[in-house]
Amino acid sequence: MAGRIRDEDITLVRERTSIADIISETVTLRSAGGGNLKGLCPFHDEKTPSFTVAPARNVFFCHGCGVGGDAIKFLMDAEHLSFVESIERLAARANIQLRYEEAGPAPVRPQQGQKQRLVAAHAAAAEFYAGQLGTAAARPAREFLAQRGFDRAAAQTYGCGFAPDTWDALTKHLRQKGFTGPELVSAGLAREARSGSLIDRFRRRLLWPIKDLTGDVIGFGARKLFDDDDGPKYLNTPETPIYKKSHVLYGISQAKREIARQGRAVIVEGYTDVMACHLAGVPTAVATCGTAFGGDHISVLRRLLMDTDAVAGEIIFTFDGDAAGQKAALRAFEDDQRFVGRTFIAVSPDNMDPCDLRLAKGDLAVRDLVARREPLVDFALRHVLTRYDLDTVDGRVEAMRRAAPLVAKLKDREKRPEYVRKLAGDLGMEIEPVQRAVLNAAAGQGSGSAAPNRGGRPAPAARVRSGEQGVDSPQSMVEREALKLALQVPVLAGPMFDALAAEAYLNPVHREVREAVAAAGGAASGTGGAVWIERVRDACGDLAATALIGELAVEPLRIDTEPDPRYVSITLSRLEWGAVTTRIRELKSKVQRINPAANKDEYFALFGELLSLEQHGRALREQAMGGL
C-alpha cells in the first residue's frame, strides 16, 4: 500500500497554492471589498453571490450552503477527489515533489488516486492521437479539417488527433506507459473484445480532446471519416468517473476567461463550430458533447458569467434554421428561466452553422451572426404564431392561448406589459384579452417568474444554534469578532485571546469554536492562513462549529483599517465585559432571593463576589470603550 504523504509536504502545498487561482478556474470572482472575492457558489444554485474567497488566508466559505475550507477541500468538493488526489493535483501544479512516509521520495506514486490516473491516461492518449494525425494513414482526417477551413496550426491549437486503423495501438502504447487494463476500460479509452482481450474504443476516426474547466483532457469526440464505418457519425467517450456529458462543454477551457471578461457565452452545436467561432473572433463559443444543453451546463455557465441580479450576462444560442434547430431553440427557451441574464438566439439567414458560414462568407459573417442575435422570447413567439392561421378567429384565439404562457414565463416582470402589447399587435387583437390570457397563464405557473432556484438554502450553522444570544445581539457579534481575530490574525490575537476562557462565550456554538482553537494549540501557536484554519477545523468535534469556522475565516473584520493590538484588546475587553455583565445580573438576582438572616454566610459570599465583579466590570468597560 502507498505511503502516507508527509505532513510538512501537505503544509507546503497549502502555503504555495493560491486558492483564488484554483477557484477562478471554475467560478468568476469579483472584488467584495476588504481584500475578499465573491462569486456564485459552485455547490448550490443561487441568485446572489454568497461564495466568498479570502486570498490572504487562502480559504473559502459559502454563506448560503455553509461549505468552506482551503484549496484542498475545494478540489475535493468541486471535482469529487479524495484528500490524497487533491494534494497530488495541487502539488503537481506547484511543482512540489511529495514524499510518502513509507514509500520515500517518488515522482509517481505506485497507486495514485483513480481520477488522477485516468486524467494522466487521457493526457497520454491525446498526445498519441495528435502524433498520429501527421501520418500517411491520417490523410482523410487532415483533408476533413482542411475542407472546413482548419489548417495545421488550428489542428494543433485544439489538439486534433487521429485514431489509427488498428485494433489496439493505443492500448499497447498506454500499457507500455504503465497503465493497467482496468484503468483503460474505466477511462473509456479501451473496451473488451469478444475474445476477452482489450481493443481501442476509437478506430479510423478524427478526434477532438474534450477538456474540463481546468484544461485536463477527460474524454474524446470522434468523427466518422470512412463510408464503410458502420458506427455513428460522432462517437463520444462513454460516462466515466471523470467524464459526465451533462456537465461537459467543449471549448470551455479555452473560452472561460473571455466568457467571464465579456459576460457572454455563445452556445453552438459541434466541435468544428467552436473552432470556427474562436478563429473568427468569437472566443466565447462552447458546445455540448453528445447531449442536449441542460441544467448542469447552465450551472457551469452561470458561475463563469457571474449570472446575478447585479451582473446579468448574455447567453446566445446558435441553431440551424431547420426543424431540428427550431425545436432545440424552443427547448432552450424552457431553460431560459434558469438564467438571470438575457438569452438570445442567432440563426443564419441561409440556415448555415458557424463553420459553414465561415467557409462560405468569412470571419466577419460569423461575427455578424452573433451581433444580429434576437431575444429568444421573440423567436419563440414568432415560431408559435407561424403555426396558426391568424386570418381566422379560431387561429388567433388558439395562437393567443399557446403564446400567452411564453410571455407569462418572462422572469423580468417589467417586460411583460410590452410583450403583451407586441403579442396583441401580432395577433391583431385588443390588448385586454391577451393581457387576461397572460395573467391566467402566470397564475397557473405559480408566481409566473422563475428565477434560479436557490436550492433550499440551509441556514448557516451559527444561525441554527444561537443559544442564549441572538445572532445579531451585541454579545454575539463581539464573540464572532473575537473568534475572527483568532482565526484570521492569530499572531496578533495570541496570548490575549488564549487568556480568555471559553466560558466568556455565551453562544454555545461560539464556545465550541473557542474550545477548538484551544485544542489546536491556542491562537498563540498559530501562524495564520489555511494551514492554521484547517488545524482548528480538524480539532473541532462539533459539526455546526466546524461549519462556522469556515464562515468566520472569510468574514471581514468590523474595522476599516488593519487590526492592531489595541483593536484586539478592545474586542476582547468587550467580550469579557459582556460575559461579566451577564454574571453580575445572575448574581444580583440570586442575592435578592437569599434571606441574609437565615443564610448569612452564603449571602455575604455572593455579595462579596458581586462587588468584585462590578469593580472588574467597570475596568473592562473603560478598556472596551477604548480608554486604555
Side-chain angles (χ1 to χ4, degrees), residues 409-428:
K409 283 182 179 179
L410 287 173
K411 54 184 171 285
D412 190 342
R413 291 174 177 270
E414 294 181 359
K415 290 182 179 179
R416 290 184 191 175
E418 185 61 34
Y419 273 99
V420 167
R421 284 189 287 271
K422 182 180 186 305
L423 180 56
D426 292 341
L427 290 169

Side-chain angles (χ1 to χ4, degrees), residues 419-577:
Y419 273 99
V420 167
R421 284 189 287 271
K422 182 180 186 305
L423 180 56
D426 292 341
L427 290 169
M429 299 176 67
E430 296 293 330
I431 289 180
E432 287 74 13
V434 176
Q435 189 174 45
R436 191 162 51 248
V438 170
L439 289 173
N440 289 338
Q445 294 170 10
S447 66
S449 65
N453 179 19
R454 297 182 68 89
R457 167 177 173 165
R463 291 166 172 78
V464 176
R465 294 173 52 190
S466 58
E468 296 88 343
Q469 297 288 330
V471 70
D472 295 323
S473 72
Q475 176 66 18
S476 185
M477 290 171 69
V478 77
E479 288 178 13
R480 290 176 72 91
E481 194 71 359
L483 294 172
K484 284 188 287 182
L485 287 169
L487 293 170
Q488 297 181 20
V489 284
V491 174
L492 192 63
M496 285 190 287
F497 177 90
D498 293 337
L500 203 55
E503 287 70 30
Y505 297 81
L506 303 184
N507 184 310
V509 183
H510 295 170
R511 196 177 302 131
E512 290 283 354
V513 175
R514 172 63 184 88
E515 296 281 16
V517 172
S525 72
T527 56
V531 174
W532 164 242
I533 291 164
E534 283 304 304
R535 207 161 92 203
V536 177
R537 287 168 64 95
D538 291 343
C540 187
D542 182 271
L543 291 177
T546 301
L548 181 60
I549 289 167
E551 183 175 351
L552 296 176
V554 300
E555 186 176 295
L557 292 165
R558 300 172 67 85
I559 183 174
D560 294 332
T561 59
E562 288 297 314
D564 55 17
R566 182 173 181 272
Y567 183 71
V568 173
S569 179
I570 290 173
T571 300
L572 295 176
S573 295
R574 287 176 178 171
L575 171 59
E576 189 177 3
W577 179 32

